[in-house]
Amino acid sequence: MRQTGGAFAPDPSPVAVWAIPAASIVIGSLITIVPLIATFPVLPPLGLMVLLAWRLLRPDTVRIWSPLPFGFFDDLVSGQPLGSAILLWTLAFLVIDLLDQRLMSRDFWQDWVLASGAIAFCLIAGRLITTPLEAHVDTLLLFQVIAAVLLYPFVARLVAWLDAKRGRA
């Protein structure tokens, strides 16, 4: 039992402690298979965004090796070359972990900048891996990066809500 606001609440379920973050990341990756008709494909990498939001909000929920299985799953459902999300998500995660150790304290704006840099890196490097340099998709890539950066606060808010629900589970 733990005390919350003067009342005692049951401890969270051990399954909910790890299942809610994992399920939210997997669902974020599965959004890419929803049949969506769009003139310009600018769907942001929601699986990556949810993973980064969990890492930046609650570092104890996702381990340093978590991008490996989640990146593998994202590669399987998104159609990217196998190993691209594994590599790029892990590199972004390691850089965020390195920068996080250097910062004394962080606020939401710094989290947003860290996540935006990681998302932009993964999208740009993923484009370089999958598309020949002669293809002119830079404008769409720019729109996708902008959409992801602007959507990140909503994803972070959703993760904070899920974290609160996880604590009460």
Side-chain angles (χ1 to χ4, degrees), residues 8-104:
F8 286 99
D11 289 330
S13 164
V15 173
V17 168
W18 64 266
I20 291 176
S24 64
I25 295 166
V26 167
I27 290 169
S29 289
L30 284 174
I31 296 294
T32 59
I33 65 170
V34 172
L36 193 70
I37 299 172
T39 307
F40 300 109
V42 292
L43 186 65
L46 291 173
L48 172 65
M49 294 169 66
V50 173
L51 177 70
L52 292 174
W54 276 109
R55 166 60 184 89
L56 292 170
L57 179 69
R58 295 292 303 262
D60 57 329
T61 57
V62 287
R63 304 284 183 240
I64 194 70
W65 51 264
S66 335
L68 296 172
F70 292 126
F72 178 71
F73 181 78
D74 190 75
D75 282 339
L76 290 177
V77 298
S78 70
Q80 294 292 324
L82 196 60
S84 63
I86 296 170
L87 172 69
L88 299 175
W89 290 19
T90 303
L91 289 175
F93 221 67
L94 290 172
V95 168
I96 284 177
D97 194 50
L98 181 69
L99 291 173
D100 190 28
Q101 292 176 2
R102 302 268 188 259
L103 297 172
M104 294 303 244

Side-chain angles (χ1 to χ4, degrees), residues 112-125:
W112 195 359
V113 168
L114 286 172
S116 298
I119 293 165
F121 164 73
C122 289
L123 287 173
I124 292 168

Side-chain angles (χ1 to χ4, degrees), residues 18 60 66 108 131 137 149 153:
W18 64 266
D60 57 329
S66 335
F108 176 74
T131 309
V137 293
V149 167

